[in-house]
C-alpha cells in the first residue's frame, strides 16, 4: 500500500520546524495513514545538508509497522498473563538461584508484607535469620541438581496470625538447558491443616474412649469404674473442668450420683 502524501508532508513539516532551531533532530516516530486507509508507523531520521549558501534537509524514512504490531501484541500478551496470574488464588514468585526475586504477584507481596516492588529482594532475607543457613544449604544443592520440590511451612503474617502454606518450586531452563531461575507457587492450606488436626484429635479421643470401655469390661468395682472414667474423660476432653458421673436404676426409674 502507498502512503498518503499529505500525511507524510504533515510529519515532515514538524521535522523541518525543529531543524530551524537545531542542527540535528532525534529520530521521530510518526503514525501516518496510507491511501488505502491503513495506519503505518514510520521512523524519520532527518539531518541538514549544506551546499554553499543553501541548506537542504535530508530525511530517511523507515517503515516499522510490523515491529510496532509485534510490540503491541507482546504488551497485550504480557498484560493478559499478568491479569491471569493476579486472578489465581496463589502466591507466586520467580527467583534466581541465589534467591533474588525477579517477579512476584500481589498475593506474594501481601503475604510477606512487601509494600513496593519486590524485584531485587532476596526472599531468604524475608525469613527468620536462624533459618538462613539450613535453607541456603538446601537451595544450593537444589541449584546444583535442579528438580521440582514440594514442602509445607508456616508463615507469620504482619498481624501476628499464623498461616500454613504448601509450596512447589520448579526450575526454569533456557534453550540450552541451563538453569535460569526457579518458580515458586504457594497455596494456603491453613483450613486443611486445621481439619487434619481436628480429625487427629477426634481419633485420639476415640482411642481413649475405647480404652475406657475395655477397662470397664474387666472390672465391676465402683472405685475402679470411677477412676477409669475420670482418667478416660480427662484424656479425651482436656478442657473439662468438672466431671459428674451418675447411674440409672432401671427398677426404680431413678438417676443418682455415683
Amino acid at each position: 500500500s502507498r502512503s498518503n502524501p499529505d500525511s507524510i508532508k504533515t510529519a515532515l513539516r514538524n521535522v523541518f520546524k525543529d531543524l530551524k532551531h537545531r542542527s540535528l533532530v532525534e529520530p521521530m516516530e510518526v503514525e501516518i495513514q496510507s491511501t488505502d486507509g491503513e495506519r503505518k508507523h514510520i521512523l524519520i531520521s532527518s539531518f541538514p545538508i549544506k551546499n554553499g549558501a543553501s541548506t537542504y534537509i535530508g530525511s530517511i524514512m523507515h517503515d516499522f509497522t510490523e515491529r510496532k504490531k509485534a510490540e503491541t501484541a507482546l504488551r497485550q500478551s504480557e498484560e493478559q498473563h499478568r491479569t491471569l496470574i493476579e486472578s489465581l488464588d496463589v502466591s507466586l514468585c520467580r527467583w534466581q538461584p541465589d534467591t533474588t526475586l525477579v517477579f512476584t504477584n500481589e498475593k506474594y507481596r501481601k503475604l510477606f508484607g512487601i509494600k513496593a516492588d519486590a524485584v531485587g529482594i532476596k526472599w531468604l532475607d524475608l525469613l527468620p535469620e536462624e533459618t538462613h543457613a539450613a535453607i541456603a544449604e538446601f537451595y544450593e544443592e537444589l541449584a546444583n541438581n535442579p528438580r521440582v520440590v514440594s514442602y509445607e511451612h508456616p508463615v507469620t503474617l504482619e498481624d501476628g496470625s499464623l498461616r500454613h502454606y504448601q509450596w512447589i518450586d520448579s526450575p526454569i531452563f533456557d534453550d540450552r538447558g541451563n538453569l535460569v531461575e526457579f518458580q515458586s507457587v504457594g497455596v494456603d492450606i491453613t483450613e486443611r491443616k486445621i481439619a487434619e488436626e481436628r480429625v487427629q484429635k477426634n481419633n485420639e479421643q476415640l482411642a481413649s474412649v475405647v480404652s475406657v470401655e475395655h477397662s470397664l469390661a474387666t472390672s465391676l468395682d465402683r472405685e475402679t469404674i470411677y477412676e477409669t472414667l475420670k482418667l478416660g474423660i480427662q484424656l479425651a476432653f482436656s478442657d473439662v473442668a468438672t466431671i459428674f458421673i451418675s447411674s440409672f436404676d432401671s427398677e426404680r426409674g431413678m438417676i443418682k450420683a455415683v
Side-chain angles (χ1 to χ4, degrees), residues 105-116:
N105 69 347
E106 183 178 355
K107 289 186 182 297
Y108 182 93
R109 295 191 295 274
K110 184 176 180 181
L111 176 64
F112 288 99
I114 302 173
K115 306 300 182 182

Side-chain angles (χ1 to χ4, degrees), residues 41-104:
H41 294 273
I42 305 296
L43 181 66
I44 302 177
S45 300
S46 300
F47 48 90
I49 301 175
K50 295 191 181 217
N51 184 12
S54 300
T55 300
Y56 302 92
I57 296 176
S59 295
I60 299 175
M61 291 182 290
H62 172 66
D63 184 348
F64 69 107
T65 304
E66 295 306 316
R67 191 190 79 184
K68 196 73 173 178
K69 288 180 179 179
E71 291 175 350
T72 301
L74 178 61
R75 186 165 54 252
Q76 291 174 344
S77 177
E78 290 176 343
E79 184 60 32
Q80 291 172 353
H81 183 254
R82 186 178 300 106
T83 300
L84 173 62
I85 288 176
E86 295 298 350
S87 67
L88 298 175
D89 191 22
V90 299
S91 297
L92 186 145
C93 69
R94 292 199 305 273
W95 44 278
Q96 296 172 344
D98 67 349
T99 77
T100 299
L101 294 167
V102 296
F103 172 82
T104 59

Side-chain angles (χ1 to χ4, degrees), residues 205 208-209 211-213 215-216 221-246 258:
Q205 292 174 343
S208 298
V209 172
S211 175
V212 170
E213 290 180 346
S215 298
L216 291 177
D221 178 76
R222 177 175 297 183
E223 289 300 322
T224 301
I225 292 175
Y226 174 78
E227 290 301 327
T228 303
L229 283 174
K230 179 180 177 182
L231 177 61
I233 293 173
Q234 288 176 336
L235 289 174
F237 308 99
S238 57
D239 56 345
V240 173
T242 303
I243 300 174
F244 179 80
I245 302 175
S246 61
V258 175

Side-chain angles (χ1 to χ4, degrees), residues 22-240:
R22 293 181 287 176
S23 60
L24 184 65
V25 175
E26 293 292 330
M28 178 184 298
E29 294 184 12
V30 296
E31 185 178 357
I32 64 175
Q33 185 173 354
S34 62
T35 53
D36 60 4
E38 183 181 0
R39 306 300 297 181
K40 292 282 189 178
H41 294 273
I42 305 296
L43 181 66
I44 302 177
S45 300
S46 300
F47 48 90
I49 301 175
K50 295 191 181 217
N51 184 12
S54 300
T55 300
Y56 302 92
I57 296 176
S59 295
I60 299 175
M61 291 182 290
H62 172 66
D63 184 348
F64 69 107
T65 304
E66 295 306 316
R67 191 190 79 184
K68 196 73 173 178
K69 288 180 179 179
E71 291 175 350
T72 301
L74 178 61
R75 186 165 54 252
Q76 291 174 344
S77 177
E78 290 176 343
E79 184 60 32
Q80 291 172 353
H81 183 254
R82 186 178 300 106
T83 300
L84 173 62
I85 288 176
E86 295 298 350
S87 67
L88 298 175
D89 191 22
V90 299
S91 297
L92 186 145
C93 69
R94 292 199 305 273
W95 44 278
Q96 296 172 344
D98 67 349
T99 77
T100 299
L101 294 167
V102 296
F103 172 82
T104 59
N105 69 347
E106 183 178 355
K107 289 186 182 297
Y108 182 93
R109 295 191 295 274
K110 184 176 180 181
L111 176 64
F112 288 99
I114 302 173
K115 306 300 182 182
D117 188 4
V119 174
I121 296 176
K122 290 188 176 183
W123 62 253
L124 184 62
D125 294 335
L126 302 176
L127 304 180
E129 187 173 355
E130 61 270 17
T131 66
H132 287 192
I135 293 176
E137 181 179 356
F138 172 80
Y139 280 103
E140 181 178 355
E141 190 278 330
L142 185 64
N144 292 329
N145 300 281
R147 61 193 183 278
V148 177
V149 294
S150 178
Y151 53 91
E152 298 178 9
H153 77 76
V155 177
T156 303
L157 305 185
E158 284 188 297
D159 61 4
S161 60
L162 187 68
R163 307 294 295 181
H164 293 273
Y165 271 76
Q166 180 179 42
W167 293 90
I168 299 176
D169 297 342
S170 306
I172 298 175
F173 304 93
D174 61 17
D175 295 338
R176 297 183 178 180
N178 299 315
L179 177 66
V180 177
E181 57 192 27
F182 285 92
Q183 176 172 281
S184 296
V185 178
V187 180
D188 189 337
I189 59 170
T190 305
E191 303 307 321
R192 191 192 80 186
K193 294 290 286 186
I194 293 175
E196 290 175 351
E197 290 173 358
R198 286 175 178 171
V199 170
Q200 182 179 355
K201 183 176 181 180
N202 289 339
N203 289 338
E204 292 174 352
Q205 292 174 343
L206 179 60
S208 298
V209 172
V210 170
S211 175
V212 170
E213 290 180 346
H214 177 73
S215 298
L216 291 177
T218 60
S219 176
L220 295 178
D221 178 76
R222 177 175 297 183
E223 289 300 322
T224 301
I225 292 175
Y226 174 78
E227 290 301 327
T228 303
L229 283 174
K230 179 180 177 182
L231 177 61
I233 293 173
Q234 288 176 336
L235 289 174
F237 308 99
S238 57
D239 56 345
V240 173

